[in-house]
Amino acid sequence: MLTRDLLRVRLAGTYIKPRFIRTDDPELRELADSILKICREGIGRTREYLENAAASCAALHKDTKLAKGIVKLAFDRMTYETTSGDPRELRKKLFLESARAIREGRLPESPMDFRGALPSASGIPEGGLYADLPGNDKLLSIRDLTARELLERYNMSLVQTLLLFTEKLELEIPASEDPQLFRAFCSRLRFHRLLVSARRDGKTIRLVIDGPASLFENSTKYGLQTASFFPVVCRFSKWKAACTVKLKDQRRLVLDESSGLVCRQTNLASYRPEEIRMFAELFRQENKDWILDDEPGFLTLEGGRMIFPDFAFHPVQGGEPVFLELFHRWHASQLENRLAECRSGRIRDLLLGVDRALLKKDGVLSGKLSEDGYFGTHGFFFRDFPGVKNVAGLLEERKNAR
Amino acid sequence: MSGCSILFDAGTLLVRGDESELAPVREFLLFDERVGCHRAEACSYSAMIRALTAAGIPIDDKARNYKALSLTLHSPHTPMSHQLAALRAWNQSKRRGVVVMPTGSGKTFFAFMAMKAVQRSSLIVVPTIDLLHQWASQLERAFGEEIGMLGGGSRDIRDITVSTYDSAVLRMDSIGDKFGLIVFDECHHLPGPVNRLAASLCLAPYRLGLTATPESGSEEGAEESLAVLKKVLGPVVYRVNIDELEGTVLATYVTRRIQVELTPEESRAYQEARRKYINFIRSAGIDFRDRNAWSRFAALCFRRPGGREVFDAFLTQRTIARCGSGKLTVLWKIIRENPGARILIFTADNGTAYRIGELLCLPVITHKTKAAERKEFLDSFRSGEYPVLVTSKVLNEGVDVPEANIAIVVSGSGSIREHVQRLGRILRRTAEGKQAVLYELVSAGTSEMSVSERRRNHRAYQTLRHLPLRGEGPASC
């Protein structure tokens, strides 16, 4: 991401608009190429040298702030090694000599003559006493990318940097979007510990994303998480995003798919935890009465609230699917809410799998679950990953109950 | 439902119960549609428990996850009268509040007294890595327990844990239920919009803020900061000032401001650079009382033709004022005339600190100094192996260097808090007793004169026995 001083925005009425760049602009491609060249050819050079070289390159560009932003994004991808020589021992020797001279009052009249009077000083070049400062670190490697990718990242970073100064993000996504993308979207939300209020409004899903404490304090605490989460939104083919940015004043940022933002995060949609993948594989091998769908999308509850189950099971002989939602050790509050919703009859045919690790965290919960009527007929416990037999048994009970 | 259930959830409390059961705590609750139940701020925990208990509502408390401890305090110190008075005041305020004591008057030991009184899992939040290590080793000695650390590469949570402010903010939504007492050292750092979350996302019913400078004269936002401290920690319950403890708990001290003349060359260069810089800010209409003035100045420097030269001029005049050759000469003179002293040299910026370190072959501690070497420098300074230590800002606060008896402020900002904290570094009384001296070097005829006036606006600098501004003279006192 960029720093605040490198933001390039346009103010239009009550709106703030990022000044996106054209990623196919030949002049900008040339600038990005020159910066990347400094990085690639700078392996082994010092941080200070590279920063000076890149600053000179940026200074030549007509839009210095833009050039500095691109430099920052390229430099964020560098790994440095600390200087190979360790001047600490030399320093220590010299400091002990200077300390002795000070204690004993053997000091020349002028401060300029002091260093020369210390025997160890001759072994250290001028300016070399603190040679291991970060400016002297050497470039070890760079996570390389093309000039076009760097410019695309610049546009994304403009938005992400603005999101650092927001309290919440409002989104609109068509319900017809790929369920796999919704799954990736939800997994990123959970990863960044964000909360979502989602309502289905006809063919559109409206979402508000913030964090638990947003309810009390208008804080940008979740800005970093929101900014880190945001790229996954750009994976949808259609989307709208809006938020209020609090910089010098408050202005609205409104974006949609036409902004041309590109999400370069890879494998977002295809990531499945190993235990989930194993369960799906075993279930398919061992059970032929149900067709397992491991990308079931979402369920809409009364009032438009949504839940995202982990699996749907379709009876081979036809009929309504049964869903399964898994609750891990960090899902205690979600489990209690889901039970309340299930008991109220707002959800039917949702199986609940509870990781035993969650019970360890909350001793009272175990007793509550054993007394809960809905959990008694729809729930089961698992350790690490759900048992195929447990699930198959419950599915049969649901089929018979119908 | 019979009773009210409370669950800690990511730095907040989820609260369930019938409407009638929730009535006594209604003022703390907001309904969260995202999860379909009421939510409260974690810092409201103790007030809610008290209100529900008073109303006779049964509580299913699944939020509290901290332990009762049996701490024994092993320390050669006996509590001093001001510490006992502070503890009484804090106890009377339901063990919530801010205690204001000058540096060197035993704030850390007072925190130990509070921990012993409370006997609950405790989290101590500190502003720097140096303080993290210092508190951890002192706590270990005081209570004979292994101490957890959060920050500086450590992620170890124990019944007694020390954390930096940054790590506390980052982790509080997952650890905010694990401590019954939370102590904020140098709690004037807490009111910022981010840092305050370390207090509001934690449910600890007992809260203590420690500082020497909760507010600083007329500094901007002082009133608002105090209001935030009151909300998340409690009111100021006890206060004692430097001059009230001087000579008894604290060392006696004098402050000495020395006006240093620039050389004719420096003076010329300063005037020329200053003129260029002042003309530019006047023509651009920049007023440095405005919060955004600095970023506007920097932006204009890189946008307007000739702006870069103005920026260079700004740096030149600042460098000359902060550490001209005259200051180096006076600094050297003070070192020469005090061969047995333990001297801390403060600068406004790292560049000046390293320049002095290179020239006089002295150890320098800045935020860039690696942890191991930082510890080595501090230990050697404390033991007397190194009699002089140079630093920019990282030693302004908290770090315990009781042996230091001379502070030389080569340059600094206009912040009253910074200047009082720097004085505080040399005030810790030693067994032998000591006379502390703070020298402030000010470049004559430069903007430093007004900066110095601003930062001395505190009662610690305003008693008559402190020597008035004068030109260079005999440096020893």
Side-chain angles (χ1 to χ4, degrees):
Chain A
M1 275 172 243
L2 301 170
T3 47
R4 184 175 172 165
D5 58 313
L6 295 178
L7 266 175
R8 289 166 64 255
V9 292
R10 199 157 50 81
L11 305 178
T14 55
Y15 290 87
I16 187 164
K17 298 186 175 187
R19 286 172 59 196
F20 290 128
I21 51 174
R22 283 186 53 190
T23 56
D24 57 357
D25 182 321
E27 203 181 317
L28 290 178
R29 286 278 183 93
E30 198 182 321
L31 171 69
D33 267 328
S34 341
I35 293 166
L36 288 169
K37 194 164 175 248
I38 291 172
C39 302
R40 287 176 194 134
E41 292 176 0
I43 306 285
R45 296 255 189 198
T46 66
R47 189 193 295 266
E48 195 172 355
Y49 171 87
L50 291 165
E51 283 175 356
N52 286 337
S56 309
C57 177
L60 294 173
H61 195 264
K62 61 186 176 195
D63 188 336
T64 319
K65 199 190 265 189
L66 163 64
K68 281 182 173 178
I70 296 172
V71 167
K72 159 105 178 44
L73 297 179
F75 273 48
D76 282 350
R77 304 176 69 80
M78 290 174 162
T79 306
Y80 290 91
E81 66 176 345
T82 48
T83 183
S84 53
D86 185 357
R88 272 194 308 174
E89 283 308 311
L90 281 175
R91 260 202 300 263
K92 190 171 182 179
K93 206 170 162 193
L94 185 61
F95 292 158
L96 287 172
E97 282 176 15
S98 78
R100 201 173 309 123
I102 290 169
R103 271 198 308 272
E104 293 169 4
R106 291 184 287 107
L107 304 176
E109 185 95 2
S110 165
M112 304 300 169
D113 300 332
F114 181 52
R115 185 171 167 145
L118 300 173
S120 298
S122 58
I124 303 171
E126 202 165 318
L129 187 54
Y130 290 96
D132 53 344
L133 287 171
N136 298 315
D137 290 350
K138 290 188 174 158
L139 179 62
L140 195 60
S141 63
I142 172 171
R143 281 178 293 133
D144 209 350
L145 73 177
T146 65
R148 183 192 181 94
E149 285 167 346
L150 181 58
L151 298 178
E152 284 171 356
R153 279 182 186 272
Y154 178 82
N155 282 340
M156 183 64 85
S157 295
L158 277 179
V159 176
Q160 288 180 296
T161 308
L162 286 170
L163 287 172
L164 293 176
F165 305 98
T166 58
E167 290 162 12
K168 62 184 176 187
L169 176 66
E170 302 145 38
L171 292 173
E172 286 181 28
I173 297 164
S176 56
E177 283 285 343
D178 184 352
Q180 203 174 342
L181 289 178
F182 271 113
R183 174 167 289 282
F185 177 90
C186 295
S187 122
R188 298 307 290 175
L189 270 178
R190 283 183 195 152
F191 179 79
H192 290 293
R193 306 188 73 171
L194 292 165
L195 281 181
V196 62
S197 314
R199 289 188 189 284
R200 187 165 180 161
D201 186 2
K203 291 181 178 173
T204 304
I205 300 174
R206 297 182 198 282
L207 307 110
V208 179
I209 289 163
D210 53 16
S214 306
L215 208 57
F216 306 102
E217 188 147 11
N218 293 333
S219 156
T220 51
K221 169 177 166 57
Y222 303 106
L224 178 60
Q225 284 139 284
T226 308
S228 308
F229 156 82
F230 179 75
V232 73
V233 174
C234 306
R235 282 288 179 98
F236 292 110
S237 57
K238 284 194 180 302
W239 55 270
K240 277 185 190 165
C243 58
T244 300
V245 179
K246 294 170 85 174
L247 280 164
K248 286 176 194 164
D249 47 17
Q250 298 196 14
R251 287 174 195 267
R252 294 286 286 172
L253 170 68
V254 179
L255 298 163
D256 61 25
E257 71 280 355
S258 67
S259 53
L261 291 168
V262 179
C263 171
R264 286 279 169 196
Q265 293 175 355
T266 53
N267 299 324
L268 286 175
S270 57
Y271 175 73
R272 302 282 285 158
E274 182 60 14
E275 64 273 20
I276 299 293
R277 200 186 55 72
M278 276 173 64
F279 167 77
E281 203 174 298
L282 277 175
F283 188 92
R284 286 185 180 120
Q285 277 171 19
E286 293 180 15
N287 196 300
K288 305 297 174 196
D289 296 335
W290 299 83
I291 299 165
L292 180 146
D293 176 4
D294 54 5
E295 285 161 4
F298 50 85
L299 299 173
T300 311
L301 307 182
E302 276 176 42
R305 291 190 55 230
M306 301 167 74
I307 61 171
F308 296 84
D310 294 273
F311 298 103
F313 301 90
H314 300 269
V316 172
Q317 292 163 342
E320 291 295 309
V322 176
F323 296 91
L324 168 61
E325 188 174 11
L326 301 174
F327 293 86
H328 296 90
R329 69 187 72 196
W330 53 88
H331 288 146
S333 62
Q334 287 96 323
L335 175 59
E336 292 211 25
N337 292 325
R338 192 72 73 244
L339 279 171
E341 284 166 335
C342 291
R343 278 195 300 267
S344 70
R346 277 179 279 174
I347 308 175
R348 293 190 312 121
D349 288 338
L350 175 67
L351 306 182
L352 307 174
V354 176
D355 189 342
R356 287 193 186 279
L358 192 153
L359 302 179
K360 272 191 209 160
K361 201 180 163 194
D362 185 345
V364 187
L365 189 62
S366 175
K368 276 194 169 180
L369 288 175
S370 61
E371 288 167 15
D372 189 283
Y374 186 91
F375 192 77
T377 53
H378 291 73
F380 66 96
F381 295 110
F382 66 90
R383 199 184 299 278
D384 300 331
F385 74 97
V388 170
K389 282 185 184 158
N390 269 343
V391 176
L394 285 171
L395 288 172
E396 282 310 299
E397 284 176 25
R398 296 323 318 141
K399 192 160 74 177
N400 297 335
R402 282 169 180 177
Chain B
M1 192 165 187
S2 60
C4 180
S5 91
I6 304 179
L7 178 75
F8 182 80
D9 180 67
T12 65
L13 303 171
L14 290 178
V15 186
R16 291 186 176 82
D18 296 339
E19 282 306 306
S20 59
E21 291 161 343
L22 295 181
V25 291
R26 175 61 59 197
E27 64 177 299
F28 302 108
L29 304 179
L30 284 174
F31 189 75
D32 190 345
E33 287 193 349
R34 301 169 301 180
V35 294
C37 85
H38 288 93
R39 206 184 273 276
E41 284 186 281
C43 60
S44 311
Y45 171 77
S46 67
M48 286 174 53
I49 295 289
R50 277 200 301 275
L52 289 167
T53 308
I57 309 285
I59 306 166
D60 176 15
D61 183 355
K62 286 183 287 190
R64 168 187 165 152
N65 195 15
Y66 55 83
K67 294 184 198 161
L69 306 177
S70 307
L71 296 173
T72 311
L73 183 52
H74 312 282
S75 170
H77 302 296
T78 46
M80 290 181 275
S81 59
H82 69 286
Q83 290 168 322
L84 291 168
L87 188 63
R88 273 194 301 278
W90 186 65
N91 280 334
Q92 279 164 12
S93 177
K94 299 191 177 79
R95 292 177 172 169
R96 292 169 74 90
V98 176
V99 167
V100 183
M101 287 183 190
T103 305
S105 63
K107 286 200 296 285
T108 307
F109 186 73
F110 174 70
F112 298 167
M113 290 163 63
M115 289 168 68
K116 183 169 173 272
V118 169
Q119 295 286 355
R120 297 287 185 278
S121 321
S122 302
L123 178 67
I124 293 92
V125 187
V126 301
T128 63
I129 307 281
D130 288 320
L131 280 169
L132 178 85
H133 292 289
Q134 183 175 296
W135 269 88
S137 62
Q138 291 187 0
L139 281 162
E140 196 167 335
R141 277 201 301 276
F143 292 112
E145 304 237 342
E146 282 200 63
I147 306 299
M149 288 202 286
L150 262 184
S154 303
R155 286 185 183 178
D156 181 23
I157 309 279
R158 293 178 185 269
D159 292 340
I160 301 175
T161 298
V162 190
S163 169
T164 59
Y165 276 78
D166 288 347
S167 295
V169 170
L170 284 173
R171 297 287 307 276
M172 200 55 86
D173 45 11
S174 58
I175 63 165
D177 55 344
K178 291 183 169 46
F179 301 98
L181 168 65
I182 187 162
V183 179
F184 288 93
D185 187 24
E186 310 289 355
C187 69
H188 47 271
H189 289 287
L190 193 60
V194 174
N195 279 357
R196 73 176 69 167
L197 293 167
S200 62
L201 301 183
C202 174
L203 61 69
Y206 306 118
R207 288 160 183 255
L208 172 62
L210 297 171
T211 179
T213 49
E215 72 291 284
S216 295
S218 57
E219 280 187 13
E220 201 183 341
E223 216 165 282
E224 191 190 333
S225 297
L226 279 177
V228 173
L229 287 180
K230 189 173 179 183
K231 179 178 181 256
V232 296
L233 295 183
V236 173
V237 293
Y238 183 81
R239 180 193 292 263
V240 62
N241 294 298
I242 288 180
D243 47 322
E244 293 170 90
L245 299 180
E246 188 193 354
T248 53
V249 175
L250 299 177
T252 53
Y253 69 97
V254 289
T255 65
R256 170 101 193 271
R257 190 158 52 156
I258 300 175
Q259 211 178 139
V260 181
E261 299 294 334
L262 301 179
T263 63
E265 297 77 35
E266 284 172 342
S267 186
R268 260 196 306 279
Y270 177 85
Q271 296 303 341
E272 193 184 326
R274 182 85 184 163
R275 195 180 57 246
K276 199 178 276 185
Y277 161 61
I278 293 292
N279 286 346
F280 182 84
I281 58 171
R282 280 190 186 142
S283 71
I286 295 169
D287 180 351
F288 277 98
R289 284 169 297 187
D290 175 6
R291 190 177 287 188
N292 299 311
W294 168 250
S295 36
R296 199 164 150 246
F297 168 66
L300 285 176
C301 280
F302 290 96
R303 206 176 294 155
R304 286 193 174 180
R308 199 166 292 256
E309 285 166 32
V310 174
F311 195 76
D312 289 343
F314 162 75
L315 293 177
T316 303
Q317 55 94 37
R318 194 177 68 172
T319 307
I320 294 171
R322 282 183 172 176
C323 194
S325 57
K327 278 194 181 179
L328 281 174
T329 305
V330 176
L331 173 69
W332 186 240
K333 197 171 175 185
I334 297 171
I335 294 173
R336 286 181 74 213
E337 292 182 359
N338 294 276
R342 212 68 65 77
I343 302 172
L344 277 174
I345 298 170
F346 292 102
T347 67
D349 58 292
N350 293 342
T352 307
Y354 282 114
R355 195 177 145 210
I356 292 171
E358 280 277 355
L359 183 71
L360 304 182
C361 301
L362 295 173
V364 178
I365 293 186
T366 68
H367 71 276
K368 293 177 178 176
T369 311
K370 287 168 189 156
E373 197 167 41
R374 183 185 295 217
K375 184 174 182 308
E376 181 194 313
F377 285 178
L378 280 171
D379 288 347
S380 300
F381 182 73
R382 285 177 186 130
S383 71
E385 198 170 19
Y386 295 161
V388 186
L389 193 57
V390 188
T391 183
S392 50
K393 291 182 177 176
V394 292
L395 296 190
N396 281 357
E397 286 184 352
V399 176
D400 194 9
V401 278
E403 296 76 10
N405 60 339
I406 291 180
I408 307 172
V409 177
V410 174
S411 55
S413 70
S415 162
I416 297 166
R417 173 171 292 140
E418 177 183 275
H419 207 45
V420 173
Q421 298 273 16
R422 285 177 165 184
L423 172 62
R425 293 302 103 222
I426 54 172
L427 292 186
R428 203 174 291 273
R429 201 173 158 83
T430 54
E432 307 80 45
K434 72 180 182 192
Q435 163 80 59
V437 188
L438 180 133
Y439 294 94
E440 186 189 353
L441 312 189
V442 185
S443 294
T446 72
S447 57
E448 277 210 327
M449 300 291 281
S450 58
V451 171
S452 167
E453 285 303 326
R454 281 210 307 279
R455 65 185 172 219
R456 291 170 67 89
N457 185 20
H458 188 276
R459 60 189 280 173
Y461 289 96
Q462 287 167 351
T463 52
L464 285 174
R465 66 190 161 66
H466 303 309
L467 303 174
L469 176 70
R470 62 182 188 186
E472 188 186 338
S476 56
C477 285

